[in-house]
Amino acid sequence: MELPLLTDLYQFTMAYAYWRSGRHREPAEFELFFREPPFHGAFTVFCGLEESLSFLQKFRFSREDIEYLQSVMPSTVEKEFFVFLETVDSSEVTLMAVPEGEVVFPREPLMKVSGPLLVVQLLETTLLCLVNFASLVATNAAHFRLAAGSEKRLLELGVRRAQGPNGALSASKYSYVGGFDSTSNVLAGKLFGLPVAGTVAHSYVSSFSCLEEVQHKVLRRAGSEEEVDFLSLSQLWLGEVCQLLKIPQQSINLGELAAFVSYAIAFPLSFLVVVDTYNVLMSGIPSFCAVALALHQLGYKAVGVRLDSGDLARLSVEIRRMFRLCAERFVIPSFEGLTIAVSNNINEKSLKLLMQSENEINVIGVGTHLVTCSRQPSLGCVYKLVKVNDQPRMKLSEDQEKTTIPGSKAVYRLYDRSDQPLMDLLALEDEPPPEIGKEVKIYDLGNTETETVTPIRAEQLHRVFFKHGQLPDSQTLPSIGEIRAYAQRSVIGLSPQHRRLENPQQYRVGVTEKLYNLLSTLRKSSSFLQ
């Protein structure tokens, strides 16, 4: 999308006022940051950088854009301003940021955007739009990944519940970055190269009512031209399965069996069906086992089943027991390890409870509560002016949390002896970096308390990602798979106290003495407090 008009009107009224007063080319710097981690956690996964860079590369106004602006802005705006807008682009903009997928914390700049005052002002709303939701969804996905553990596969299936098509695409993309393994969203798979996955819905199963509705009944034996009456073969296996599982054959819903047979004929290499349309243990599972065993006899291997209702943990244990019985009785070891996938309006709380219960689940599908971020619908990133004409600027407020930190800043991540992040340190850009093995005096934001820390390692987080209208020559953007891997390392690299989902220890972000003194000086000199 071309996004220069995806912004608030007041950005253009301010731009005109800057231009009218002759200040539009003054060098300025803005910072993009958030004030609280989402979902009552301790961290946020930063995302949206790649799309922000794409936006900057294309940033300019078309003739149609300018004509529209003329129609909505006050008639007192001089025509020369619109002529000037035709020359506006990002050729003098520099963007520094932390890498996409990095874990970040309150009050520290995720992005630093510098350039002519008018231009960097116009970028505000769009950059916030590109970063806010992307980072929120990735963080939500990271929470689900932590709740599920590393062994379970996570499937995002929220496209039908997302906030419009763009929300669905962003949710699929950044859920993958945050730790999900695949998506049901086909368009997201095409656009972003995501792994896509899908099974079959209850509507397909309930569309069959009897065995006579299976019109194409034969399936070729794997690697052969021989055609076998697959419906009859599945019926034979059904008798064996019902006898083994001690299930009366009259409890089988024949429409369900017909649906499974038909689906297996269509997808003999990827047979995975939903088994809770009627009765899971008395019909769905024995019907699945019969069809899966028929597939095995013809040289194929079924994938597994999906549950979308009921006590997911208990049912998964019982289903695995039935799979083991079949594996032992019919001497098919692989049958024991068939996939058990679950879904059913799963949220972070229900997922944690599910994982605390005995279960045999392999795949978890999450939709609504992932893509809508129902626990917290917005991250709340802001974009604030910190410097104009090399002079620091700050916003003061009666609300202490809304006071900004002035000046262009560097962010350092300090590590302890176990090479885990100890805290993040904000310093003025012209300060020397912290020295390894030497004590650093740290000021906490919001009070006068100080402490000293001795970093074993220090990493500067910001990198130049955009300069002179383009990516630096040496800068190659990572693939989405590389961003996902980076995000996983970033989250796992935190201490367990900062990763935990309930009552986590809040990660510390402090400032240097020089930055603290600047903040104090500007506070005291402001007429706001006098």
Side-chain angles (χ1 to χ4, degrees), residues 70-333:
Q70 284 181 288
S71 73
V72 297
M73 291 186 70
S75 59
T76 54
V77 175
E78 298 175 29
K79 302 300 182 186
E80 290 78 6
F81 172 68
F82 297 107
V83 174
F84 167 75
L85 281 183
E86 293 184 24
T87 69
V88 168
D89 59 22
S90 61
S91 59
E92 297 179 77
V93 172
T94 296
L95 183 142
M96 298 184 70
V98 300
E100 188 155 17
E102 183 65 84
V103 287
V104 289
F105 304 96
R107 308 294 295 277
E108 60 189 25
L110 316 183
M111 287 182 173
K112 304 197 305 178
V113 187
S114 57
L117 178 58
L118 178 147
V119 176
V120 291
Q121 180 72 70
L122 286 174
L123 301 176
E124 174 181 5
T125 302
T126 314
L127 290 177
L128 287 171
C129 180
L130 294 172
V131 170
N132 260 310
F133 187 60
S135 300
L136 186 73
V137 171
T139 307
N140 199 22
H143 276 236
F144 277 94
R145 170 49 71 194
L146 288 171
S150 60
E151 299 302 317
K152 309 294 185 183
R153 298 201 304 277
L154 293 176
L155 166 64
E156 176 270 310
L157 38 76
V159 61
R160 65 186 62 192
R161 302 289 173 78
Q163 284 92 339
N166 291 331
L169 288 171
S170 292
S172 296
K173 178 178 182 178
Y174 294 109
S175 294
Y176 180 70
V177 170
F180 274 62
D181 297 289
S182 55
T183 178
S184 66
N185 188 338
V186 178
L187 182 57
K190 175 188 175 184
L191 294 177
F192 309 127
L194 308 184
V196 293
T199 57
V200 61
H202 297 101
S203 57
Y204 182 84
V205 178
S206 62
S207 74
F208 290 81
S209 61
C210 61
L211 296 177
E212 288 70 27
E213 290 177 342
V214 181
Q215 297 181 15
H216 301 284
K217 302 177 183 180
V218 300
L219 177 63
R220 288 180 179 176
R221 191 179 298 274
S224 168
E225 295 297 316
E226 178 191 358
E227 293 187 334
V228 177
D229 184 337
F230 189 71
L231 175 59
S232 297
L233 184 61
S234 297
Q235 288 177 283
L236 289 173
W237 275 109
L238 182 64
E240 296 280 342
V241 169
C242 286
Q243 183 179 4
L244 172 66
L245 301 181
K246 298 181 173 55
I247 293 171
Q249 198 159 339
Q250 59 266 30
S251 71
I252 302 299
N253 185 295
L254 295 182
E256 185 170 42
L257 177 62
F260 291 179
V261 168
S262 179
Y263 198 74
I265 291 171
F267 297 100
L269 297 175
S270 54
F271 180 59
L272 192 155
V273 288
V274 62
V275 292
D276 67 331
T277 305
Y278 303 109
N279 186 301
V280 174
L281 300 180
M282 299 298 289
S283 178
I285 291 302
S287 295
F288 166 81
C289 289
V291 176
L293 288 164
L295 282 172
H296 183 270
Q297 184 175 337
L298 298 187
Y300 302 100
K301 182 179 177 182
V303 175
V305 299
R306 177 169 72 92
L307 285 169
D308 193 47
S309 61
D311 185 335
L312 302 178
R314 181 187 66 80
L315 285 171
S316 72
V317 170
E318 188 62 22
I319 290 169
R320 187 68 69 198
R321 182 187 71 81
M322 291 178 167
F323 287 171
R324 289 193 181 105
L325 287 174
C326 288
E328 293 170 4
R329 171 67 179 80
F330 305 116
V331 196
I332 307 173

Side-chain angles (χ1 to χ4, degrees), residues 377-493:
S378 175
L379 176 57
C381 285
V382 294
Y383 184 89
K384 297 298 181 183
L385 181 68
V386 295
K387 187 173 71 170
V388 176
N389 281 328
D390 292 324
Q391 296 302 309
R393 294 288 188 268
M394 69 181 296
K395 174 185 179 293
L396 285 166
S397 173
E398 292 181 0
D399 184 346
Q400 184 68 30
E401 285 298 310
K402 289 197 170 184
T403 297
T404 59
I405 306 172
S408 183
K409 293 174 283 295
V411 183
Y412 298 95
R413 183 152 295 166
L414 309 184
Y415 292 82
D416 60 18
R417 292 187 180 278
S418 60
D419 205 38
Q420 286 184 330
L422 174 66
M423 67 177 301
D424 284 6
L425 176 65
L426 307 186
L428 288 170
E429 200 165 46
D430 59 1
E431 291 188 72
E435 294 187 51
I436 305 306
K438 290 191 176 181
E439 287 189 345
V440 181
K441 189 175 184 181
I442 308 292
Y443 283 75
D444 282 340
L445 289 170
N447 57 55
T448 58
E449 294 182 5
T450 64
E451 64 174 316
T452 57
V453 298
T454 304
I456 303 304
R457 181 164 72 90
E459 175 187 10
Q460 184 166 358
L461 295 187
H462 288 147
R463 304 175 192 172
V464 177
F465 283 96
F466 189 84
K467 193 170 185 178
H468 303 314
Q470 57 188 359
L471 304 180
D473 292 338
S474 61
Q475 185 69 56
T476 301
L477 293 179
S479 68
I480 192 166
E482 290 169 332
I483 295 171
R484 180 181 185 273
Y486 188 95
Q488 301 314 297
R489 291 195 301 272
S490 298
V491 173
I492 296 304

